[in-house]
């Protein structure tokens, strides 16, 4: 198979433009024609003719008209926003960007845990008040960190925890596969892991199994000094139950990059807790985002040109 044209959709990801993505792709694939449309009409025309399209989302009606389309390369790890049934009905393979977020989100998790351990939020509040007052701090070493979800992101978190001398517990759909943690549990054993947890990291997709996974019962099972970090999806945590647990001091606090609802309304009670840090779903932001996405697509282009269909990160 010859050199295919890759159509880059006009959507912006994490503040990076389609042209930024095209530049990263040209660096990885200098012999491939990388086309970026600058208007909606030009984009429709490009999608209608290109064998490979990459971007965040593609309208189902456009897919129906894309007679040459063989592969849609998504630039997000999640694919729940995509019309997967339409892709499948039109025999279009779909890949995601799983693994792109690993390094940067893992750094966010480590930073959030260490900030809590060393009391940095309290230090910042005292600095703003110009108050010199000693306060107790903890050590991360010797604690137990539970990571729910052992995909690319969860595994990256576990790798970066290794130098800190912690015990790691993993929770995943298929515990029989093992994982990088010291112990691995299935979702049916979640509470066994939670009862031993000092720091709970949520790195799982939002599914029927995980929606509301961290509810009042789970929060009650966690030790009172446990700290929650959610970089998964807001819906994995029951927000009302979390607020109740924080109000009753049933957990020590939380670092939330995702919330339910999202964006979090300005009058929501979560904003008012000194023990909660909130970021606007940007743990995955990195200037190297498109560079890593381009690396995945470059590997799949090699497979495509060889007539292969076992694409890396294929979901359809």
């Amino acid at each position: 198979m010859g050199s295919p044209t890759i159509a880059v959709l006009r959507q912006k990801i994490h503040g990076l433009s389609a042209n930024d993505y095209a530049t990263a792709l040209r660096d990885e694939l200098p012999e491939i024609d990388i086309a970026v449309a600058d208007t909606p009409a030009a984009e429709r025309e490009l999608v209608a003719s290109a064998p490979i399209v990459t971007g965040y989302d593609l309208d189902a009606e456009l897919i129906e008209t894309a007679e040459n389309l063989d592969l849609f390369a998504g630039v997000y790890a999640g694919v729940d926003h995509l019309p997967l049934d339409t892709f499948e009905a039109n025999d279009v393979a779909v890949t995601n960007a799983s693994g792109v977020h690993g390094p940067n989100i893992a750094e966010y998790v480590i930073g959030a845990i260490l900030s809590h351990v060393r009391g940095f939020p309290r230090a910042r509040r005292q600095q703003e008040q110009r108050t010199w007052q000693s306060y107790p701090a903890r050590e991360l070493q010797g604690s137990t960190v539970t990571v729910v979800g052992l995909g690319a992101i969860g595994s990256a978190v576990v790798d970066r925890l290794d130098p800190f001398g912690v015990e790691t517990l993993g929770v995943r759909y298929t515990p029989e596969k093992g994982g990088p943690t010291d112990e691995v549990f299935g979702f049916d054993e979640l509470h066994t892991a939670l009862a031993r947890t000092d720091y709970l990291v949520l790195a799982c997709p939002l599914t029927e199994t995980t929606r509301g996974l961290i509810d009042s019962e789970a929060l009650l099972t966690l030790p009172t000094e446990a700290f929650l970090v959610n970089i998964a999806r807001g819906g994995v945590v029951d927000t009302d139950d979390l607020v109740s647990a924080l109000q009753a001091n049933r957990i020590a606090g939380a670092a939330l990059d995702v919330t339910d609802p999202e964006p979090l309304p300005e009058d929501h009670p979560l904003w008012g807790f000194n023990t909660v840090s909130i970021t606007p779903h940007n743990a995955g932001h990195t200037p190297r985002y498109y560079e890593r996405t381009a690396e995945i697509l470059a590997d799949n282009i090699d497979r495509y040109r060889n007539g292969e269909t076992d694409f890396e990160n294929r979901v359809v």
Side-chain angles (χ1 to χ4, degrees):
M1 189 174 294
S3 298
T5 294
I6 299 177
V8 180
L9 299 178
R10 296 179 305 122
Q11 298 141 351
K12 296 179 181 178
I13 306 297
H14 300 328
L16 301 171
S17 71
N19 285 323
D20 293 328
Y21 187 19
T23 297
L25 286 171
R26 291 182 182 117
D27 288 343
E28 286 287 333
L29 299 161
E31 78 285 4
I32 300 292
D33 178 25
I34 310 296
V36 183
D38 55 2
T39 67
E43 184 173 84
R44 287 193 295 271
E45 183 177 343
L46 192 56
V47 169
S49 60
I52 298 171
V53 174
T54 183
Y56 168 67
D57 197 5
L58 192 59
D59 185 83
E61 292 184 7
L62 271 181
I63 299 170
E64 298 285 359
T65 65
E67 296 181 357
N68 297 324
L69 185 59
D70 295 319
L71 171 64
F72 178 77
V75 295
Y76 272 13
V79 295
D80 51 311
H81 62 287
L82 293 173
L84 298 180
D85 290 344
T86 306
F87 280 117
E88 187 170 15
N90 286 272
D91 198 27
V92 178
V94 177
T95 60
N96 67 10
S98 178
V100 170
H101 295 293
N104 36 311
I105 293 185
E107 288 178 1
Y108 176 99
V109 171
I110 299 301
I113 291 175
L114 289 176
S115 179
H116 173 73
V117 168
R118 303 309 305 176
F120 290 157
R122 178 170 176 175
R124 182 62 183 176
R125 292 193 301 273
Q126 290 187 186
Q127 180 179 341
E128 290 172 350
Q129 298 164 2
R130 303 191 178 203
T131 299
W132 185 279
Q133 180 179 345
S134 182
Y135 57 85
R138 301 179 179 84
E139 287 188 9
L140 180 56
Q141 179 174 287
S143 61
T144 299
V145 182
T146 295
V147 180
V148 180
L150 294 178
I153 294 173
S155 295
V157 170
V158 174
D159 288 344
R160 283 154 180 79
L161 284 168
D162 185 60
F164 290 96
V166 300
E167 180 183 23
T168 54
L169 309 179
V171 180
R172 68 185 311 173
Y173 287 104
T174 51
E176 64 274 7
K177 290 183 177 180
T181 51
D182 295 318
E183 297 180 54
V184 180
F185 300 85
F187 279 94
D188 59 336
E189 301 174 294
L190 174 67
H191 283 259
T192 301
L194 293 182
R196 296 167 52 188
T197 298
D198 296 304
Y199 301 94
L200 174 62
V201 179
L202 303 178
C204 53
L206 180 61
T207 66
E208 291 183 4
T209 300
T210 63
R211 184 176 293 280
L213 182 72
I214 306 304
D215 57 8
S216 59
E217 289 297 319
L219 292 163
L220 193 60
T221 299
L222 283 170
T224 304
E225 294 301 312
F227 185 77
L228 167 68
V229 182
N230 188 6
I231 46 81
R233 287 291 184 269
V236 176
V237 177
D238 186 301
T239 303
D240 291 341
D241 289 350
L242 176 60
V243 169
S244 296
L246 290 164
Q247 289 172 334
N249 295 316
R250 289 201 297 270
I251 63 170
L256 308 174
D257 187 54
V258 290
T259 59
D260 182 23
E262 189 174 301
L264 193 65
E266 64 179 20
D267 61 348
H268 198 281
L270 277 175
W271 290 113
F273 292 100
N274 286 335
T275 55
V276 175
S277 65
I278 298 170
T279 48
H281 204 150
N282 66 348
H285 291 197
T286 169
R288 298 186 61 191
Y289 191 92
Y290 277 151
E291 176 185 327
R292 294 180 185 140
T293 307
E295 290 172 357
I296 296 173
L297 182 50
D299 178 72
N300 284 332
I301 291 299
D302 287 340
R303 302 184 191 197
Y304 178 82
R305 295 170 75 179
N306 290 328
E308 302 173 24
T309 58
D310 59 332
F311 301 120
E312 181 180 358
N313 290 356
R314 181 166 182 173
V315 294
V316 170

